């Protein structure tokens, strides 16, 4: 019986440069508004918290444009094995009996 092997491509095509340029412009404009305009740091009854919409959501869209890839780890962190704790598990204490 033949076995089917699914291959996952590691490198994906680059996103549309026009969309990436537009998102970068929106993120930088939102950052400038939040830093320079005190009203942009506030809360609106209709929109909610303004920095979320001016910086957070465009950053999330920019990140999703790259299919939620994380930036690569530095070589020093990638080669180090994770640290583990080698302690015994804590035991519960029984309540002390009080003398009446």
């Amino acid at each position: 019986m033949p076995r089917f092997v699914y291959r996952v491509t590691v490198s994906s095509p680059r996103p549309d440069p026009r969309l990436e340029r537009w998102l970068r412009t929106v993120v930088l404009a939102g950052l400038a508004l939040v830093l320079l305009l005190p009203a942009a740091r506030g809360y609106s009854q209709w929109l909610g918290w303004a920095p979320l919409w001016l910086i957070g959501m465009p950053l999330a869209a920019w990140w999703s444009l790259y299919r939620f890839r994380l930036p690569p780890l530095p070589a020093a962190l990638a080669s180090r094995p994770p640290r583990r704790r080698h302690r015994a598990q804590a035991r519960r204490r029984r309540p002390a009996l009080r003398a009446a």
Side-chain angles (χ1 to χ4, degrees):
M1 182 180 287
R3 287 187 165 184
F4 295 102
V5 177
Y6 294 101
R7 294 184 182 183
V8 178
T9 58
V10 176
S11 63
S12 62
R14 299 220 7 114
D16 186 14
R18 294 174 295 173
L19 182 58
E20 183 182 8
R21 188 179 321 119
W22 184 80
L23 278 171
R24 186 181 316 129
T25 304
V26 169
V27 167
L28 291 175
L31 185 64
L33 277 173
V34 169
L35 290 176
L36 299 175
L37 210 64
R41 295 180 216 132
Y43 180 83
S44 168
Q45 191 69 22
W46 288 358
L47 293 176
W49 193 48
L52 172 73
W53 295 104
L54 292 173
I55 298 174
M57 290 301 167
L59 275 176
W62 196 6
W63 185 38
S64 69
L65 185 66
Y66 283 96
R67 297 193 177 135
F68 301 106
R69 285 185 292 188
L70 293 175
L73 284 175
L77 290 177
S79 64
R80 183 174 49 175
R83 293 180 7 184
R84 288 185 164 180
R85 295 175 57 183
H86 296 291
R87 295 185 191 168
Q89 183 175 352
R91 296 184 184 189
R92 293 185 183 200
R93 292 186 181 184
R94 292 186 182 181
L97 298 176
R98 294 187 182 181

